Amino acid sequence: MRKASNFLMCASALLLGTAQAMGQTPPLRIMPLGDSITYGSGTAGGYRLPLYVSLTNTGYNVDYVGSAYDNPSTGLGSETNHEGHSGWRISTAANSGLHEFILGWLNQVDDPDAVLLHIGTNDTNDPDFEHAIDELDALIARVAAARPYAHIVVTTLMKRGVDDLDSKYVAITNGFNPFVESRVQAHQALGRRVHFLDMH
């Protein structure tokens, strides 16, 4: 949960800065988008709960948006919506890829002010993982085109595995995380509201 707490602190700072820069008034609509980390496997509400507490204690009226509402927490009250899908990948033909479903999800909810995107961990199970960063790039572009006024916070991945001998650890640290920031910068250069968050 320590790594999720790091995500909370960084995301909270970015969202508060974004809201202030936009002159945002409540409600602040946030779409948590990703896999089991966003869903909160093993923890009621996942990082969504402490983020909610942090923002509401600062005076914001948080409105989580998304088509899913499982894994709630009593501390979230009615704000149980999210787009956290355990085991899902960035893009896949097996009906479990965010890229293929994101437009439908966005069409079901009020436009988010911010999208928190942490995805790619499950892609390490794919022998074609070397193309995962390109799939992330395409997902960012799809969200940015569909909701150009939303601020999209894109993160590096939390490390999976215990040490540098673990293949998933190596895949994330060598084949994915080093390339996320440059992809975000490319979107920024096109005038898109995309922000980079280094989880480490």
Side-chain angles (χ1 to χ4, degrees), residues 44-124:
Y47 76 75
R48 294 174 283 113
L49 174 59
L51 179 59
Y52 176 84
V53 171
S54 176
L55 290 172
T56 55
N57 284 347
T58 311
Y60 289 93
N61 180 13
V62 175
D63 180 14
Y64 281 136
V65 299
S67 65
Y69 48 86
D70 47 352
N71 194 28
S73 168
T74 55
L76 286 170
S78 62
E79 293 307 321
T80 58
N81 295 89
H82 61 87
E83 287 299 348
H85 301 274
S86 294
W88 281 44
R89 300 180 181 183
I90 302 168
S91 180
T92 179
N95 290 327
S96 59
L98 299 190
H99 185 270
E100 288 77 16
F101 284 81
I102 186 60
L103 296 182
W105 293 332
L106 285 169
N107 288 335
Q108 294 179 48
V109 301
D110 292 333
D111 289 357
D113 298 303
V115 177
L116 304 182
L117 179 59
H118 183 282
I119 188 66
T121 302
N122 297 305
D123 294 78
T124 59

Side-chain angles (χ1 to χ4, degrees), residues 1 6 45 72 79 115 121 157 183:
M1 192 62 186
N6 291 342
E79 293 307 321
V115 177
T121 302
L157 296 177
R183 297 303 178 102

Side-chain angles (χ1 to χ4, degrees), residues 124-188:
T124 59
N125 297 318
D126 191 332
D128 196 34
F129 181 67
E130 63 183 292
H131 299 296
I133 193 68
D134 297 325
E135 293 176 345
L136 177 69
D137 193 55
L139 175 60
I140 296 168
R142 177 166 279 196
V143 175
R147 297 296 181 269
Y149 298 107
H151 287 265
I152 306 166
V153 180
V154 182
T155 75
T156 53
L157 296 177
M158 294 180 185
K159 294 177 182 178
R160 183 173 182 177
V162 294
D163 56 39
D164 57 5
L165 299 178
D166 185 283
S167 62
K168 298 183 189 314
Y169 179 99
V170 172
I172 288 171
T173 57
N174 294 353
F176 193 89
N177 282 354
F179 306 103
V180 176
E181 184 172 15
S182 62
R183 297 303 178 102
V184 167
Q185 290 171 343
H187 287 285
Q188 291 172 339

